[in-house]
Amino acid sequence: MSYAPKDIEEKWQTRWAEARVAEVDVSAPGEKFYMLNMFPYPSGDLHVGHGRNYILGDALYRYFRMRGRVALNPMGWDAFGLPAENAAIKRGIHPREWTVNNIARMKLQFARWGILYDWSKELASCEPEYYRWNQWLFLQLYKRGLAYRGKAPVNWCPADQTVLANEQVVDGRCERCGSEVVQRVLEQWFLKITDYADRLDAGLDTLEHWPEKVKLMQRNWIGRSVGADVEFPVPAIGGSIRIFTTRPDTIYGATFMVLAPEHPIVPALIADHPQRAEIEQWIAGVRNQSNLERQEAGKEGRFTGKYAINPFTNEEIPIWLGNFVLMQYGTGAIMAVPGHDQRDFEFAQQYGLDIRVVVMPNVGRASARPDGLKPVLHEAYAAKDDSAIIVNSPLIDGLAPPQAIERIIDEIERRGIGKRMVRYRLRDWLISRQRYWGTPIPMLYCETCGIVPVPEEQLPVRLPLDVPFTGREGNPLAKDERFVNAVCPECGGAARRETDTMDTFVDSSWYYARFISAHDDMKIFDSKLVNRWLPVDQYIGGIEHAILHLLYARFITRTLHDMGLVDFEEPFASLFNQGMIIKEGFRTAAGQWVPLDDVETRDGTPVRKSTGEPLTAEMAKMSKSQFNVVPPDELIARYGADTERVYTLFIAPPEKEAAWSDDGVVGASRFLNRVWGMAPHPALRATLSHDAGEGLGVRALLRKTHQTIDTVTRRIDRFEFNTAISALMELSNAIGDAVAEGLDVRQSYLVLLQLLHPFAPHITEELWEMLGGEGFILTSSWPVADPALMAEDVIVIAVQVNGKLRGQVEVSNPPAEAEVLAAVKENANVQRWVEGKQVVKTIYVPGKLVNVVVR
RNA sequence: GCGAAAGUGGCGGAAUUGGCAGACGCGCUGGACUUAGGAUCCAGUGGCCCAAAGCCGUGGGGGUUCGAGUCCCCCCUUUCGCACCA
């Protein structure tokens, strides 16, 4: 009987679905395991690159189930967002219809991959039963002062009349229409994530099972800096300017001050400047530049004509404006220490400003120090650790920077001119979008009462579905009178509804908790159950979410914690980022991607069939626009889903980028065919017994089997799926050899099926059934390795002396010291025996090298 | 520029604690079966050498060690992240 994946796979997919095997009663007893793939945006068709992500999750889910855990593997849809709206504009399909259709297609695809989700807990963020709680959450945040309306410069696309998220701006242009994005100051809704900056930063230390890389990225994004705020008096305007510095120990070296051109005090400083008009023009120019342009322009500045007093040297220092000082960070003003800061140094060089050395390498004796008072910038002169020493600074001379910093801040605080300060790079989260397809922000603007929240009992604020989509006149919601006109719940007068919708990252910041009570229409979720099931035990998704989604989710979880709704602060105990699948695409010299059916190979080089022009092959992320996607349909039709699953996991370590190879797939296919082909052999039907007198072959196979159980288990635990599968291939090869020798392999074969199940679920279920297994293999238990059976009976040690083989001796396993010593002595006259585990370690006798190696 | 990770056959990649480098798979070579092979099966496959023996081999150069892909120092290359954050 030959292997027909199609029939088998459909059969088992149907059976699993009918038996609702993946449905979990969240209040059932047992040790829980919450497995979660990041819920996808329903963009439609899935390719094998997406498959990697979900197959990985399914394999883990099945593994933990077999290990006896009550495993939950839910799935939902991040269903609001721009592409649905674009489809509506381009093709006249309603965003909802487009989304619902895509969801249906993706569900089918998941089923064909043999992925088991608990669909009873399915959710879609675009449905009122979900986004209602999004709105509720927003109101709670508003009540706590964590949601506020404020002015901010935002990315504005003039053609589409909307704000764009930073990630929707590509090279300064709108990713959708290509128009140049401009900065506009608008009133927007923000969530006060900065209130949680310290907790979000500190919490990273508790995430032991997160990739270091992601934690580092978050840490950099939060950008915690410790230092001090210091006031510098400016007599000319009868006030002072506050700066932030992380190096207060270098304050004696502050020879000038630089303000961001946008700093609010600038107009007062330059009011009587003779070239005021020119400076204002320069400021306007800098304002209009993006950060990138600003940096490319190089360092530029203008002298304001005014001076500040350095509070420690009491010298007058010039106040400059500089394009390299950012208004958004710190106080928008710096004390410039050109002797010890690269940027300040460059600026000082350019404008001929004083440079003073106040830090030197600490080389012990003063006389041995370099003649360091030269105005140069050198690495050692910027050191912040004990390798440096402060000079030219009366109050802190001779101290190392760490002590000097403490000392000088104490003095700053004593004098009342500043204080210790921790600042963050993190900014508040702008969540307003002038977009239709999103959660309406549940707020009202009343002519008499001002900003009024929609009362909770009026939720959800439903997104009207019958609105026209033209795409060129801004948010259709704003023109929908029925939606906009509302009654103020406070005074009963006329009110206007907020027509902005929420950033979809709000939707995804708490969905993992909603799965636990997905259909509760009384509350956001059941806290008791959520506290039982969360944090998520294993979260899987792409590295592209390293900052945004994961940071927002960590933030929102903390707000839920502070509301008393959950008793944990970190939503994801363990995080795994799978790598992308890439594949060769072909492009012309001009960089244009060419469809595969227009590519052929002539004389070993790819050319474009239609024009004959030469093409270059390039590995790229799978994408329709690059014509290099591998759709799973064909692959499954030809080889079956199990083959795709095994190949996808075998191709490379899962965290790495993997190059798809159509040829490589056949390896996985052959492997499964061999596994199938062994099954009907008569040897399988015999009963296995391990009586003495059995052939060595059976013992060896049994040993291999138990070693494989051990190996595969450990490798799955460590996410080493590729080598777990290679170990199964080895076992399969060993069983194949044993079958050829006519040995009874039934027991080993059943173990192989169990170990293989997470990777190739359909074929293993089928074979399990054929061999008379009880129930689903999915619900069978994971085999346990018997250490006694794993060990070799005898080992051969080779005695090497000075690299030369002196003899080989067979000893029992584990080897008795006396036995080995005797053997070694006989061959090499050795005195001492060092025992390893199974492998015999080095024996070293002075003057004589003896290397004992296990054979 | 700063930070992080990684360099192993023709390719993807293996190699607990330093202990037979190249598992497993692809590809390739030869063979079997075939009207046929982009199917299947068998054998071989790091390099030098007809072969054996032997020698050389984990980006380059030093070092530690009886022994280094693995540990230490210097250099080179690639990828990723941040990008004037005071």
Side-chain angles (χ1 to χ4, degrees):
Chain A
M1 186 174 32
S2 71
Y3 172 42
K6 189 169 184 289
D7 300 341
I8 292 170
E9 290 177 1
E10 278 174 12
K11 169 182 162 185
W12 288 98
Q13 284 161 15
T14 306
R15 285 212 195 166
W16 292 325
E18 280 171 355
R20 299 170 178 246
V21 284
E23 278 187 31
V24 175
D25 172 0
V26 287
S27 48
E31 194 191 351
K32 65 99 180 178
F33 184 83
Y34 189 175
M35 162 71 225
L36 187 64
N37 275 103
M38 289 181 187
F39 72 161
Y41 180 78
S43 57
D45 298 318
L46 293 164
H47 56 64
V48 295
H50 300 115
R52 189 183 201 191
N53 188 12
Y54 305 107
I55 289 165
L56 200 104
D58 186 65
L60 269 183
Y61 161 76
R62 288 173 185 269
Y63 167 72
F64 277 102
R65 256 197 96 146
M66 293 178 75
R67 296 279 306 261
R69 304 285 284 269
V70 181
L72 173 66
N73 192 29
M75 181 44 69
W77 313 96
D78 188 12
F80 271 139
L82 215 49
E85 228 171 310
N86 292 345
I89 293 161
K90 267 185 223 156
R91 286 180 263 162
I93 310 168
H94 192 278
R96 187 168 190 283
E97 195 191 335
W98 184 83
T99 304
V100 167
N101 289 345
N102 287 348
I103 288 173
R105 280 221 301 286
M106 288 168 72
K107 274 179 93 160
L108 192 63
Q109 184 61 64
F110 286 146
R112 284 190 181 146
W113 274 324
I115 291 168
L116 293 178
Y117 289 126
D118 181 349
W119 291 114
S120 72
K121 298 173 179 57
E122 180 180 8
L123 56 83
S125 59
C126 66
E127 300 299 339
E129 75 163 353
Y130 183 86
Y131 69 68
R132 162 185 189 168
W133 300 109
N134 230 13
Q135 293 171 337
W136 180 86
L137 176 65
F138 180 88
L139 293 178
Q140 309 313 306
L141 294 172
Y142 180 74
K143 266 193 230 164
R144 277 153 214 274
L146 292 170
Y148 68 95
R149 197 162 161 81
K151 272 193 177 177
V154 295
N155 303 305
W156 176 262
C157 172
D160 291 347
Q161 304 244 310
T162 185
V163 166
L164 297 174
N166 286 332
E167 55 275 21
Q168 288 159 347
V169 181
V170 180
D171 297 332
R173 291 177 180 276
C174 171
E175 65 159 1
R176 202 172 131 253
C177 68
S179 337
E180 204 158 326
V181 168
V182 296
Q183 296 282 303
R184 250 175 89 162
V185 176
L186 288 176
E187 280 249 319
Q188 303 281 295
W189 284 101
F190 290 87
L191 297 186
K192 218 167 180 186
I193 192 172
T194 51
D195 272 12
Y196 287 78
D198 52 346
R199 283 165 69 186
L200 289 169
D201 184 75
L204 292 172
D205 292 331
T206 69
L207 297 172
E208 287 169 41
H209 304 289
W210 275 42
E212 287 304 320
K213 181 181 176 168
V214 173
K215 286 193 275 187
L216 188 68
M217 282 168 73
Q218 292 221 354
R219 199 159 265 136
N220 291 339
W221 187 265
I222 295 166
R224 184 173 194 268
S225 290
V226 181
D229 274 10
V230 189
E231 302 276 350
F232 278 56
V234 184
I237 57 166
S240 66
I241 295 173
R242 173 184 297 215
I243 60 96
F244 172 65
T245 179
T246 56
R247 294 298 304 271
D249 54 322
T250 63
I251 197 163
Y252 285 92
T255 50
F256 59 100
M257 176 181 266
V258 190
L259 309 185
E262 306 93 328
H263 196 287
I265 207 163
V266 171
L269 288 175
I270 62 169
D272 55 359
H273 196 287
Q275 275 99 47
R276 184 177 140 192
E278 192 278 332
I279 295 178
E280 282 175 346
Q281 203 181 345
W282 174 78
I283 292 171
V286 174
R287 247 184 220 278
N288 282 334
Q289 285 174 332
S290 65
N291 268 4
L292 191 74
E293 289 170 323
R294 245 167 120 153
Q295 207 175 143
E296 280 169 356
K299 290 196 174 42
E300 276 181 20
R302 292 291 186 277
F303 178 42
T304 60
K306 298 289 189 294
Y307 293 83
I309 308 292
N310 179 327
F312 282 83
T313 63
N314 291 318
E315 289 168 338
E316 285 197 328
I317 59 173
I319 304 173
W320 282 69
L321 309 181
N323 64 348
F324 69 101
V325 177
L326 307 174
M327 193 59 223
Q328 307 94 294
Y329 185 76
T331 60
I334 61 161
M335 66 174 200
V337 185
H340 309 288
D341 182 282
Q342 181 72 36
R343 296 152 302 180
D344 299 348
F345 177 72
E346 285 171 23
F347 195 79
Q349 289 255 299
Q350 195 169 329
Y351 291 103
L353 300 165
D354 287 349
I355 297 172
R356 186 171 302 166
V357 172
V358 292
V359 185
M360 297 210 328
N362 186 359
V363 291
R365 295 161 299 130
S367 59
R369 289 174 199 152
D371 63 325
L373 304 191
K374 274 188 195 163
V376 290
L377 187 92
H378 183 275
E379 261 180 46
Y381 288 66
K384 199 180 182 176
D385 53 30
D386 290 336
S387 71
I389 188 169
I390 303 294
V391 296
N392 281 339
S393 307
L395 220 58
I396 48 175
D397 260 344
L399 294 179
Q403 290 77 47
I405 288 171
E406 288 309 307
R407 182 76 188 280
I408 202 82
I409 298 179
D410 285 345
E411 180 62 16
I412 288 165
E413 291 186 337
R414 195 187 64 78
R415 292 194 201 171
I417 55 170
K419 59 180 178 188
R420 278 188 172 72
M421 183 62 76
V422 178
R423 289 191 181 270
Y424 299 89
R425 221 181 64 146
L426 188 68
R427 319 252 167 80
D428 276 340
W429 174 13
L430 193 166
I431 60 155
S432 301
R433 295 288 180 273
Q434 287 72 51
R435 281 291 178 176
Y436 163 75
W437 194 234
T439 302
I441 296 173
M443 300 300 278
L444 297 165
Y445 301 98
C446 170
E447 283 159 29
T448 47
C449 311
I451 298 177
V452 182
V454 172
E456 283 177 28
E457 58 276 14
Q458 286 180 23
L459 297 183
V461 175
R462 282 175 186 273
L463 190 65
L465 293 177
D466 52 341
V467 295
F469 296 96
T470 57
R472 292 285 148 181
E473 290 147 54
N475 186 351
L477 274 188
K479 290 187 296 290
D480 186 335
E481 292 299 320
R482 294 160 306 170
F483 179 79
V484 173
N485 295 324
V487 176
C488 172
E490 284 182 13
C491 68
R496 274 177 39 254
R497 235 177 243 294
E498 169 66 68
T499 59
D500 284 354
T501 53
M502 290 184 208
D503 182 359
T504 57
F505 278 113
V506 179
D507 314 356
S508 56
S509 64
W510 63 280
Y511 75 102
Y512 43 87
R514 180 68 182 174
F515 279 125
I516 306 303
S517 26
H519 307 296
D520 193 329
D521 56 6
M522 301 303 287
K523 53 188 179 302
I524 186 166
F525 49 69
D526 183 320
S527 292
K528 227 173 112 187
L529 288 172
V530 166
N531 282 334
R532 178 195 170 194
W533 280 90
L534 273 77
V536 170
D537 292 278
Q538 184 62 60
Y539 199 35
I540 298 182
I543 186 76
E544 67 273 17
H545 292 112
I547 294 172
L548 294 168
H549 162 58
L550 291 170
L551 190 65
Y552 296 148
R554 297 180 60 231
F555 161 55
I556 292 296
T557 300
R558 280 170 172 74
T559 67
L560 294 170
H561 173 269
D562 293 354
M563 291 173 205
L565 289 169
V566 303
D567 59 15
F568 51 91
E569 292 205 12
E570 290 292 347
F572 313 118
S574 182
L575 173 70
F576 185 82
N577 299 118
Q578 86 284 357
M580 281 189 321
I581 288 192
I582 56 172
K583 194 177 187 299
E584 210 169 45
F586 295 90
R587 63 202 302 184
T588 62
Q592 189 195 349
W593 295 96
V594 177
L596 284 186
D597 53 21
D598 196 14
V599 177
E600 65 179 1
T601 306
R602 288 181 205 161
D603 306 326
T605 55
V607 295
R608 188 170 193 168
K609 225 187 275 179
S610 53
T611 62
E613 62 187 309
L615 300 171
T616 50
E618 199 176 306
M619 297 304 280
K621 180 184 175 179
M622 280 192 186
S623 145
K624 274 183 196 163
S625 61
Q626 285 152 209
F627 305 103
N628 65 347
V629 295
V630 177
D633 293 356
E634 256 174 75
L635 198 70
I636 291 175
R638 185 160 172 196
Y639 299 105
D642 284 335
T643 292
E644 181 187 341
R645 291 173 63 116
V646 168
Y647 178 64
T648 296
L649 297 176
F650 179 67
I651 186 170
E655 70 280 6
K656 277 195 66 173
E657 196 172 74
W660 186 268
S661 148
D662 292 328
D663 289 334
V665 178
V666 305
S669 177
R670 283 178 196 150
F671 165 54
L672 294 180
N673 267 310
R674 275 199 300 273
V675 171
W676 179 269
M678 287 173 210
H681 193 278
L684 284 170
R685 310 232 159 78
T687 319
L688 185 67
S689 64
H690 304 293
D691 297 336
E694 284 242 314
L696 199 66
V698 171
R699 295 180 79 101
L701 181 62
L702 204 59
R703 185 177 304 127
K704 179 76 178 172
T705 304
H706 281 261
Q707 287 171 347
T708 304
I709 295 170
D710 185 57
T711 304
V712 170
T713 305
R714 275 185 296 122
R715 287 181 174 169
I716 293 178
D717 285 337
R718 290 193 304 222
F719 275 78
E720 295 167 359
F721 301 104
N722 55 327
T723 52
I725 290 171
S726 75
L728 290 171
M729 288 174 169
E730 284 186 55
L731 178 60
S732 145
N733 290 343
I735 293 174
D737 291 347
V739 168
E741 289 168 33
L743 298 179
D744 183 339
V745 300
R746 182 184 169 92
Q747 195 152 343
S748 296
Y749 189 80
L750 290 175
V751 168
L752 173 65
L753 294 182
Q754 286 177 298
L755 298 179
L756 184 55
H757 178 78
F759 310 115
H762 311 88
I763 189 175
T764 48
E765 285 282 15
E766 180 71 14
L767 289 164
W768 182 259
E769 188 186 53
M770 273 172 53
L771 294 170
E774 289 288 314
F776 291 113
I777 194 171
L778 173 69
T779 55
S780 78
S781 61
W782 191 253
V784 179
D786 181 344
L789 290 173
M790 278 167 62
E792 308 286 338
D793 296 335
V794 287
I795 54 177
V796 176
I797 62 171
V799 181
Q800 294 173 18
V801 180
N802 293 333
K804 290 266 180 356
L805 189 69
R806 281 294 173 84
Q808 295 188 24
V809 190
E810 197 168 275
V811 294
S812 56
N813 184 30
E817 179 170 342
E819 190 186 358
V820 175
L821 199 56
V824 170
K825 266 182 171 171
E826 186 185 317
N827 286 287
N829 189 25
V830 174
Q831 317 300 320
R832 199 161 58 95
W833 159 245
V834 183
E835 194 187 338
K837 288 176 196 168
Q838 189 185 337
V839 173
V840 180
K841 289 279 193 176
T842 301
I843 301 172
Y844 178 64
V845 179
K848 189 176 279 182
L849 161 65
V850 179
N851 205 356
V852 180
V853 181
V854 174
R855 287 279 154 179

